[in-house]
């Protein structure tokens, strides 16, 4: 199966493209108004997960679906914001002076029984979550599983 064939095999691709565009809009809106929109973000994640689930037959998509579900769970539990470990952020070599607590999409990690769902893994000047690891692995698996092999 080639990459082009895989894209043709997507079921309801407009759900995935639409939720991606909607999340860009939510990001822009949050930055413009310095407010968070947890209901909109959670709704877009839920629709995206539905679109991914409908495409679970493709290689790696199930991992992306699991990762997106973990990220949705994290933001739902923490009031619509992704919790971020300040310690991990500093360990990653983050360039900023300090984490901005008025970030419309993230919040500093407080004590929570679900801290492990947030961004706590230092990764090249960023901090990622377990859900992000699943999404990344799934994306790599998708690319490797859908590209033609050289003979």
């Amino acid at each position: 199966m080639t990459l082009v064939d895989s894209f043709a095999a997507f079921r309801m691709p407009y759900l995935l493209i639409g939720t991606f565009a909607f999340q860009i809009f939510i990001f822009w809106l949050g930055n413009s108004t310095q407010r968070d929109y947890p209901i909109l973000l959670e709704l877009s994640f839920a629709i995206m997960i539905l679109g991914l689930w409908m495409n679970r037959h493709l290689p790696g998509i199930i991992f992306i679906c699991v990762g997106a579900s973990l990220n949705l769970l994290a933001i739902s539990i923490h009031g619509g914001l992704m919790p971020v470990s300040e310690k991990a952020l500093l360990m990653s070599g983050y360039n900023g002076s300090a984490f901005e607590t008025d970030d419309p999409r993230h919040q500093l990690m407080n004590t929570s029984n679900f801290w492990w769902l947030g961004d706590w893994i230092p990764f090249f000047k960023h901090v990622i979550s377990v859900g992000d690891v699943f999404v990344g692995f799934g994306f790599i698996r998708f690319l490797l599983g859908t590209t033609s092999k050289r003979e």
Side-chain angles (χ1 to χ4, degrees), residues 15-94:
L15 270 181
L16 298 173
I17 294 167
T19 55
F20 180 67
F22 191 58
Q23 286 187 5
I24 291 172
F25 171 74
I26 295 168
F27 175 75
W28 171 82
L29 184 63
N31 280 334
S32 297
T33 62
Q34 290 302 309
R35 293 186 52 215
D36 58 321
Y37 296 91
I39 301 289
L40 295 178
L41 184 62
E42 292 167 7
L43 177 64
S44 71
F45 260 87
I47 294 169
M48 178 181 59
I49 291 165
L50 174 65
L52 289 167
W53 184 252
M54 294 177 77
N55 289 286
R56 66 189 180 276
H57 63 282
L58 296 172
I61 297 295
I62 195 72
F63 290 103
I64 298 172
C65 189
V66 168
S69 297
L70 288 171
N71 286 341
L72 174 59
L73 185 60
I75 62 174
S76 297
I77 289 171
H78 296 98
L81 299 172
M82 178 62 87
V84 179
S85 166
E86 188 171 20
K87 181 179 178 183
L89 197 60
L90 294 173
M91 287 173 57
S92 73
Y94 176 69

Side-chain angles (χ1 to χ4, degrees), residues 1-11 13 16 55 57-59 61 141-148:
M1 179 184 291
T2 66
L3 190 58
V4 173
D5 292 337
S6 295
F7 286 125
F10 263 85
R11 295 180 185 143
L16 298 173
N55 289 286
H57 63 282
L58 296 172
I61 297 295
R141 175 68 184 100
F142 174 76
L143 290 177
L144 292 175
T146 57
T147 55
S148 299

